[in-house]
Amino acid sequence: MRHLGIMILLFALLAVLPVSAADPVAHQPPFVVPLGPDGVQRATITLDSYSYTPGHLIVEAGKPVELTLTSVTTIVPHNFIIKEVSVEHDVRAGKTAVVKFTPAQTGIFAIYCDKRLWPLPSHRDKGMEGKLEVK
Ligand SMILES: [Cu+2]
């Protein structure tokens, strides 16, 4: 009987742990953000629960980037954070926001949503993350 109790406890623990085994970003093809005739790199990103599409952006360093963030949710608010380029923007349900930045450094930086409904895992933990690749 003691073993049964431990088994139940283990299953309960597994059920509440955030699922981190699958990396949703790894399965997304990289998206090369097109450079406009005005020298601005523009793309539109769809925010849903819990994803960014496209989730892997490739941009050139030293040129301005303008991202239009479109939420397709009806209730859940999200945000869009890239710490390395000082971007942190809320996108309310069903709304659109525009973020602008010029990446100075090359590298691969995380894009994520840190919203959470306590005590649930954060949206990032639920897979709402992507990456910005600056070349
Ligand atoms: Cu979110």
Side-chain angles (χ1 to χ4, degrees):
M1 282 315 276
R2 186 184 291 165
H3 288 307
L4 187 67
I6 290 169
M7 289 294 279
I8 290 169
L9 193 74
L10 274 174
F11 280 121
L13 210 71
L14 283 173
V16 297
L17 282 173
V19 181
S20 55
D23 179 4
V25 179
H27 305 295
Q28 287 212 28
F31 178 78
V32 179
V33 177
L35 182 67
D38 57 355
V40 179
Q41 308 176 85
R42 284 192 186 84
T44 296
I45 298 168
T46 301
L47 283 71
D48 203 351
S49 301
Y50 300 91
S51 63
Y52 298 110
T53 309
H56 178 174
L57 306 175
I58 298 179
V59 297
E60 284 180 56
K63 292 175 181 166
V65 176
E66 188 180 303
L67 301 175
T68 300
L69 311 171
T70 301
S71 167
V72 295
T73 67
T74 47
I75 297 169
V76 184
H78 291 294
N79 62 17
F80 185 91
I81 300 171
I82 311 172
K83 284 271 190 254
E84 290 82 355
V85 292
S86 304
V87 165
E88 184 160 351
H89 210 289
D90 279 329
V91 188
R92 291 168 56 199
K95 301 290 183 193
T96 292
V98 175
V99 294
K100 297 177 186 183
F101 59 93
T102 301
Q105 304 260 333
T106 59
I108 296 177
F109 311 120
I111 300 171
Y112 61 94
C113 174
D114 71 354
K115 298 274 184 196
R116 81 190 302 158
L117 190 63
W118 191 90
L120 298 175
S122 74
H123 293 184
R124 185 182 196 179
D125 289 332
K126 294 183 183 184
M128 194 158 187
E129 64 179 344
K131 56 185 155 189
L132 175 74
E133 191 173 341
V134 183
K135 288 186 167 177

